[in-house]
Every structure is written in C-alpha cells, then in structure tokens.
Amino acid sequence: AHLARGIGPSPPRPPPPTGRLRVHAEMDSNIVVVRLAPGFDDSMLYSMVKETPDLHGMVLSLYGTGNGPASKRSFIDLIKVAIDRGICVVISSQCLRGSVSLATYEVGRMLIELGVVAAGDMTTEAVVTKLGYLVGRGRKGEALNQAMATDLRGELTPEGYESSSPL
C-alpha cells in the first residue's frame, strides 16, 4: 500500500550524475546568517555590512513567509546598502515547514524590488552551502541571484510544486 502525502504532481528530480564525484573545495565562507527577532536593533547589521569588506553573503532568517519589520525604514535601507556593496542577500524563513513567499506582504515586495533572493523551502544550511559553493565558483551579481533561485541538486522545490520536506 502507498499513502500519498500531498495532492498534485511531485517535483521533478535532478538528473542523475553523469560522471565521477567531484569535490569542490573552493567554498566561500564570508557569509553571515542572522536570525531576526521582533524589535531587533539593525545598527549592528549596518555596521557589519559597512565595516566587513569581504562579506559576500547575508542570509536573513525572517518571520513566517519571509516577512520583515513593516515599520523600520532603516531595515530596508540596510538591505539596499548591502546589495549596493555586492552582498548577496538571501531571505529564509524561521518556520520549520513552508516556503518563503516575499510577495505576500508589502515589506517582502519592497525586498524583491531591491534584489534579494527568496530561499523558497531551502533550509538555512542548504542556503549557506549553496551560496558558499556558488560564490566560491566565481558567481556574482545577477548570475549568483539566478543560480540561488534555481534548483541545482534537489535542494529547492520548484515553484508550482508542493514541498515534500518532512520538516
């Protein structure tokens, strides 16, 4: 017997490997992960963005579907400064299940306009690993953002499919 977990088609699986395993050791570790809590002081984040010249990635773990503080214009300004400095900003969720959907709330829509990347249903660990791998391989700017939003090895459920993650 087989129990179906969800309704609808399963997401396509990545193609099987075509060659030998290659270990990519050129991982960039200049990435920071910040879990935001209501009422946070963004001045420390601002200092980190302004004073860390080799910072290449910032993963912000926001509330619910990727919602941030609606009343803090300084937070949006901080994200703009980070992106202008070439830092890839990825928004992930603090929720154990579900996916980042930035278009749901006004703050998320502003973040989309600035050029942040939505992590979808990737775990924080998957986001950091993928970002470190891509930056280590020389990806920057829009090419990096597009690669982060693309399922490379089954780490990200494509849009239009229900996540099969047990979490």
Side-chain angles (χ1 to χ4, degrees), residues 45-123:
L45 289 175
Y46 192 78
S47 294
M48 184 175 19
V49 166
K50 292 290 278 184
E51 304 299 328
T52 311
D54 292 331
L55 183 61
H56 297 135
M58 185 163 56
V59 180
L60 297 177
S61 185
L62 300 183
Y63 330 124
T65 60
N67 193 27
S71 62
K72 291 186 85 167
R73 181 67 202 176
S74 58
F75 175 71
I76 299 298
D77 294 340
L78 162 73
I79 302 302
K80 181 171 179 6
V81 168
I83 290 172
D84 288 347
R85 290 180 64 90
I87 299 168
C88 181
V89 179
V90 182
I91 304 299
S92 67
S93 174
Q94 295 178 11
C95 296
L96 294 178
R97 294 180 188 218
S99 182
V100 172
S101 176
L102 293 177
T104 304
Y105 296 102
E106 182 181 356
V107 173
R109 290 188 293 274
M110 289 191 300
L111 293 173
I112 290 170
E113 288 178 22
L114 291 175
V116 302
V117 177
D121 64 345
M122 285 190 283
T123 64

Side-chain angles (χ1 to χ4, degrees), residues 6-74:
I7 297 174
S10 297
R13 295 185 184 267
T18 58
R20 293 176 46 94
L21 172 68
R22 290 176 295 158
V23 177
H24 297 280
E26 303 86 23
M27 299 285 287
D28 189 289
S29 61
N30 295 318
I31 300 166
V32 65
V33 178
V34 181
R35 183 178 174 102
L36 298 182
F40 72 95
D41 180 1
D42 52 14
S43 65
M44 287 172 267
L45 289 175
Y46 192 78
S47 294
M48 184 175 19
V49 166
K50 292 290 278 184
E51 304 299 328
T52 311
D54 292 331
L55 183 61
H56 297 135
M58 185 163 56
V59 180
L60 297 177
S61 185
L62 300 183
Y63 330 124
T65 60
N67 193 27
S71 62
K72 291 186 85 167
R73 181 67 202 176
S74 58

